[in-house]
Amino acid sequence: MAKKFTEEEYRKIVEIADKYFVQKKLVVAPVIIKYIYDDLFSDKTVENEKVRGLSQELSLIAFPKSRDWAHDQFVEKEKKYYWKSKKTDKNGLFKTIIEHTVGYPTDSYYINANPAAFTESEIREWGYNPDMFDREEVE
């Protein structure tokens, strides 16, 4: 069983690979893997132990043609949570993250608002700080 990367690690690998494909027009797997290793280790984004021996996985993530397949195989599926603010407003209500009618997260103080389940990445993407919310895992 292959080791799994987090979504954040996957995005970093893709970002590094794309940077070198655009700048250097690299298409040789060992060369792009060396650059990915160097960049990942230089800023400590990914643990050294996790990346050691993962050349095949990194190659498949790095190359655009195999990227979607590699994402399904080597990236941990993010857990979804219900999000409720840690603090109350002046009326004692907790802000809850709900799904807006067009599909993105929005916050609400409505007492009967049905919370929607979102991953931490989705919450961050829409500008919320996950540390300001309590979360309950969706099963």
Side-chain angles (χ1 to χ4, degrees):
M1 178 77 178
K3 292 186 180 181
K4 296 282 188 170
F5 293 97
T6 65
E7 189 67 35
E8 185 177 335
E9 292 166 340
Y10 169 82
R11 287 184 185 145
K12 183 66 175 175
I13 293 165
V14 167
E15 178 185 315
I16 293 166
D18 286 349
K19 177 176 75 174
Y20 286 105
F21 281 129
V22 169
Q23 289 179 356
K24 313 249 190 249
K25 305 286 190 235
L26 296 175
V27 292
V28 180
V31 176
I32 194 70
I33 296 308
K34 182 201 179 313
Y35 284 115
I36 290 171
Y37 279 147
D38 291 348
D39 280 10
L40 289 176
F41 293 149
S42 69
D43 69 2
K44 306 295 183 221
T45 305
V46 178
E47 305 163 23
N48 290 353
E49 291 299 317
K50 192 175 217 180
V51 178
R52 231 170 273 201
L54 298 178
S55 295
Q56 182 177 6
E57 289 88 342
L58 290 172
S59 296
L60 290 166
I61 293 171
F63 289 100
K65 286 187 177 184
S66 57
R67 205 171 272 169
D68 290 340
W69 179 85
H71 184 277
D72 292 342
Q73 300 298 311
F74 309 126
V75 178
E76 293 173 357
K77 306 297 182 243
E78 280 192 277
K79 295 179 181 176
K80 291 194 174 239
Y81 301 94
Y82 294 125
W83 301 84
K84 183 173 79 172
S85 64
K86 292 181 178 180
K87 295 183 179 181
T88 60
D89 70 354
K90 62 184 176 187
N91 298 318
L93 298 175
F94 290 96
K95 186 182 282 189
T96 303
I97 302 292
I98 60 172
E99 187 169 356
H100 190 275
T101 55
V102 291
Y104 61 85
T106 188
D107 51 72
S108 170
Y109 283 108
Y110 296 118
I111 297 170
N112 295 324
N114 291 329
F118 294 102
T119 64
E120 187 171 325
S121 295
E122 291 171 319
I123 295 297
R124 287 184 189 281
E125 184 178 319
W126 287 98
Y128 291 101
N129 178 355
D131 297 332
M132 296 176 68
F133 293 87
D134 286 325
R135 59 185 176 186
E136 179 185 332
E137 189 175 336
V138 176
E139 296 190 25

